[in-house]
Amino acid sequence: LKYEVGQYYRPHNDYIEKHEHQTHGPRVLTFFIYFDEVEEGGGTRFPLLNNLTVEPKAGRVLIWPSVLDQNPYKEDRRTNHEALPVIRGKKFAA
């Protein structure tokens, strides 16, 4: 992923409902890595987790569940997240 100044991603969850009925099933975990540091902005915010915001830092990895522990076919909405706008610099992540 590459985010330029002003770019962001709206709140969402990585759970994809149609995957429930496919052989591979829904995504269980997301592994997200930052490849650089952004001069300003570009954090990843989790609004339902007290607005927890993780700022980009080269090599920093985030791992979060998309499903509930007790039922891997049910979305865990607590991990809805968004990419905050880049104010200065560029953000590279995957």
Side-chain angles (χ1 to χ4, degrees):
L1 301 169
K2 177 183 177 185
Y3 292 85
E4 304 268 355
V5 171
Q7 292 185 312
Y8 63 94
Y9 203 95
R10 295 178 187 207
H12 66 285
N13 194 293
D14 294 336
Y15 182 87
I16 300 172
E17 190 173 339
K18 69 180 182 180
H19 288 175
E20 288 178 13
H21 308 291
Q22 296 177 357
T23 305
H24 56 72
R27 181 188 302 192
V28 175
L29 295 169
T30 295
F31 178 97
F32 192 81
I33 185 168
Y34 297 104
F35 295 120
D36 61 356
E37 295 182 28
V38 179
E39 292 178 47
E40 187 177 356
T44 302
R45 180 168 57 192
F46 295 84
L48 300 178
L49 295 175
N50 294 319
N51 279 322
L52 170 68
T53 301
V54 179
E55 299 299 334
K57 183 175 179 178
R60 180 172 280 165
V61 171
L62 304 177
I63 300 174
W64 64 83
S66 297
V67 297
L68 298 171
D69 287 344
Q70 62 272 27
N71 187 342
Y73 287 91
K74 295 290 182 188
E75 177 181 358
D76 186 346
R77 293 175 191 233
R78 297 173 300 168
T79 56
N80 288 359
H81 57 284
E82 61 186 320
L84 298 174
V86 172
I87 297 169
R88 286 189 301 142
K90 294 180 183 177
K91 173 181 167 181
F92 292 92

